C-alpha cells in the first residue's frame, strides 16, 4: 500500500473499523425496523408464509377501535405520577446535595429500589396491596382509617394509580442520582455571588438551580413519558390486565394481540404507533425547551 497516500490509507482504515458495527446495526436494528413497518401494512398470523396486504387497515383499526387506542387513557396515571416523581427527585437531590449529616446513607437507601429486579418488586408490592393481609390496609387500620381500606388492585378507578406508585418508589432514587450529579456540576461561585447579592434559598433554587438543570430535566422527562407509554411488567405480573381490562396498557395490548391472538400485522402497526408517539413527545419537548431557552 506504499503507492496509496496517507490520507487515503487513513480513510480506508476508518471505514474498515466502521464496517462491522454498521453491519451489526443494519442487521439487528434497521432491517427489523423496516420489516416491522412492512408487516404493519399486512395481515399475518406469524406462522403462514402468506401475508395479505391491508394498506392502512391496521392503523385505521387502531385509531377507531376504543379497545386498542382507548387503553392510552390507562396510562395517564403513570404520566402524572411520573411528573410528581421528577419533582420529588429534584427536592431530594437539592437536600442531599447540602452538608446534611448522613447524606451518603440516604442517597444509597433512596437508590436501592432501582437496582432491584422489576418482577421481584412487583411480587413484593403484591403483598403491600393485598386486600386482606396487605401491609397498606394494615397500616390504614392501625391509624384508624379503616374506611380507606379496599382492594387496591381490584378497583378499576385506582388500580393504575396503585401500579404507577410502584414505579414512583422504584425510579425516584434513580432520577435523584441523575439530578444530584447535575447539581454537583454547577459552579459554587454562582451560589456565593447570589448569597452576596442577598438572594434567598428559594430564589437561588428558582433562578440558578432549575435553569441549570433544564437539560437534565428534559432528558428525565423524556425517559419518564416514554416509559409511561411502554409500561408492561407491572400490570402483567400483578393484575394480568384486570380488573376487566382496566390496567391494560398499550404495550400490554400489543403483546397480547401478537402472541395470544396471533395477529402480528396489527401488533406491528401498534408497535409503529407507539414508536411514533415516543418520537412526537421528543419533538414537542425539544420545541418547548428550545423556546424557553430563546
Amino acid at each position: 500500500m506504499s503507492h496509496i497516500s496517507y490520507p487515503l490509507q487513513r480513510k480506508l482504515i476508518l471505514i474498515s473499523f466502521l464496517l462491522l458495527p454498521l453491519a451489526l446495526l443494519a442487521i439487528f436494528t434497521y432491517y427489523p425496523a423496516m420489516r416491522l413497518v412492512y408487516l404493519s401494512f399486512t395481515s399475518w398470523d406469524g406462522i403462514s408464509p402468506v401475508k395479505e396486504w391491508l394498506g392502512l387497515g391496521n392503523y385505521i383499526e387502531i385509531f377507531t377501535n376504543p379497545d386498542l387506542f382507548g387503553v392510552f387513557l390507562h396510562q395517564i396515571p403513570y404520566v402524572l405520577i411520573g411528573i410528581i416523581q421528577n419533582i420529588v427527585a429534584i427536592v431530594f437531590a437539592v437536600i442531599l446535595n447540602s452538608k446534611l449529616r448522613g447524606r451518603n446513607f440516604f442517597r444509597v437507601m433512596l437508590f436501592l429500589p432501582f437496582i432491584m429486579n422489576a418482577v421481584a418488586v412487583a411480587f413484593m408490592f403484591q403483598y403491600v396491596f393485598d386486600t386482606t393481609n396487605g401491609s397498606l390496609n394494615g397500616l390504614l387500620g392501625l391509624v384508624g382509617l379503616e374506611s380507606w381500606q379496599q382492594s387496591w388492585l381490584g378497583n378499576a378507578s385506582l388500580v393504575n394509580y396503585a401500579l404507577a406508585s410502584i414505579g414512583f418508589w422504584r425510579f425516584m432514587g434513580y432520577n435523584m442520582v441523575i439530578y444530584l450529579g447535575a447539581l454537583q456540576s454547577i459552579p459554587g461561585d454562582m451560589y456565593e455571588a447570589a448569597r452576596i447579592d442577598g438572594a434567598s434559598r428559594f430564589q437561588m433554587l428558582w433562578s440558578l438551580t432549575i435553569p441549570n438543570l433544564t437539560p437534565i430535566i428534559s432528558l428525565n422527562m423524556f425517559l419518564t413519558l416514554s416509559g409511561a407509554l411502554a409500561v408492561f411488567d407491572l400490570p402483567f405480573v400483578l393484575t394480568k390486565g384486570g380488573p376487566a381490562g382496566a390496567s391494560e396498557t398499550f404495550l400490554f395490548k400489543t403483546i397480547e394481540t401478537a402472541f395470544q391472538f396471533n395477529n402480528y400485522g396489527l401488533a406491528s402497526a401498534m408497535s409503529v404507533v407507539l414508536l411514533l408517539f415516543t418520537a412526537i413527545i421528543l419533538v414537542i419537548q425539544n420545541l418547548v425547551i428550545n423556546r424557553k431557552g430563546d
Side-chain angles (χ1 to χ4, degrees):
M1 294 182 63
S2 58
H3 61 283
I4 301 177
S5 64
Y6 173 73
L8 182 57
Q9 291 182 32
R10 187 169 180 271
K11 289 180 180 179
L12 290 174
I13 292 173
L14 290 175
I15 292 172
S16 299
F17 276 105
L18 286 174
L19 281 178
L20 179 60
L22 287 176
L24 294 174
L25 191 64
I27 293 172
F28 295 107
T29 301
Y30 295 139
Y31 173 74
M34 290 187 292
R35 188 71 175 172
L36 178 71
V37 173
Y38 165 71
L39 290 175
S40 70
F41 294 102
T42 67
S43 176
W44 184 47
D45 60 4
I47 301 173
S48 63
V50 179
K51 303 176 181 65
E52 180 185 354
W53 184 261
L54 296 179
L56 295 175
N58 287 326
Y59 292 95
I60 294 173
E61 173 70 14
I62 292 171
F63 289 102
T64 57
N65 188 344
D67 290 335
L68 296 179
F69 193 73
V71 296
F72 274 116
L73 295 175
H74 301 165
Q75 295 170 244
I76 293 177
Y78 294 94
V79 174
L80 296 177
I81 292 184
I83 294 172
I84 297 172
Q85 169 193 296
N86 276 271
I87 295 172
V88 175
I90 292 174
V91 172
F92 273 106
V94 171
I95 294 173
L96 296 179
N97 192 44
S98 63
K99 296 180 180 180
L100 180 70
R101 180 176 297 179
R103 60 185 179 275
N104 290 331
F105 170 77
F106 291 112
R107 291 173 183 174
V108 172
M109 293 302 294
L110 290 173
F111 184 74
L112 273 178
F114 175 72
I115 66 176
M116 298 178 65
N117 181 270
V119 177
V121 170
F123 277 114
M124 182 175 69
F125 273 87
Q126 188 173 21
Y127 294 101
V128 173
F129 292 124
D130 185 79
T131 306
T132 55
N133 300 313
S135 58
L136 179 56
N137 280 342
L139 177 62
L140 292 174
L142 189 65
V143 297
L145 297 174
E146 290 86 356
S147 61
W148 290 20
Q149 294 177 338
Q150 58 186 292
S151 176
W152 298 96
L153 299 180
N155 189 326
S157 61
L158 289 177
V159 60
N160 291 310
Y161 289 96
L163 294 174
S165 67
I166 302 175
F168 178 98
W169 178 83
R170 185 172 178 227
F171 292 104
M172 193 279 293
Y174 169 76
N175 287 333
M176 180 208 68
V177 169
I178 294 178
Y179 289 128
L180 189 60
L183 284 172
Q184 292 176 350
S185 67
I186 301 175
D189 296 341
M190 297 175 62
Y191 291 100
E192 290 296 332
R195 289 191 189 95
I196 294 173
D197 291 338
S200 64
R201 290 186 177 182
F202 178 79
Q203 289 174 326
M204 286 189 289
L205 174 65
W206 186 256
S207 301
L208 289 179
T209 304
I210 299 300
N212 281 281
L213 287 180
T214 298
I216 306 301
I217 293 174
S218 175
L219 171 63
N220 273 354
M221 285 305 303
F222 170 71
L223 295 176
T224 298
L225 295 177
S226 59
L229 290 177
V231 174
F232 170 74
D233 50 358
L234 292 176
F236 178 77
V237 175
L238 287 174
T239 64
K240 302 299 181 184
S247 64
E248 286 185 335
T249 62
F250 195 73
L251 182 57
F252 186 101
K253 202 74 175 177
T254 301
I255 294 175
E256 183 183 57
T257 301
F259 296 103
Q260 184 172 338
F261 301 111
N262 294 328
N263 194 340
Y264 284 82
L266 181 58
S268 298
M270 295 172 71
S271 300
V272 173
V273 168
L274 189 61
L275 179 62
L276 290 176
F277 278 10
T278 304
I280 290 171
I281 289 173
L282 179 61
V283 170
I284 294 175
Q285 183 174 281
N286 285 337
L287 289 175
V288 171
I289 296 297
N290 292 336
R291 183 173 297 178
K292 287 185 177 180
D294 293 338

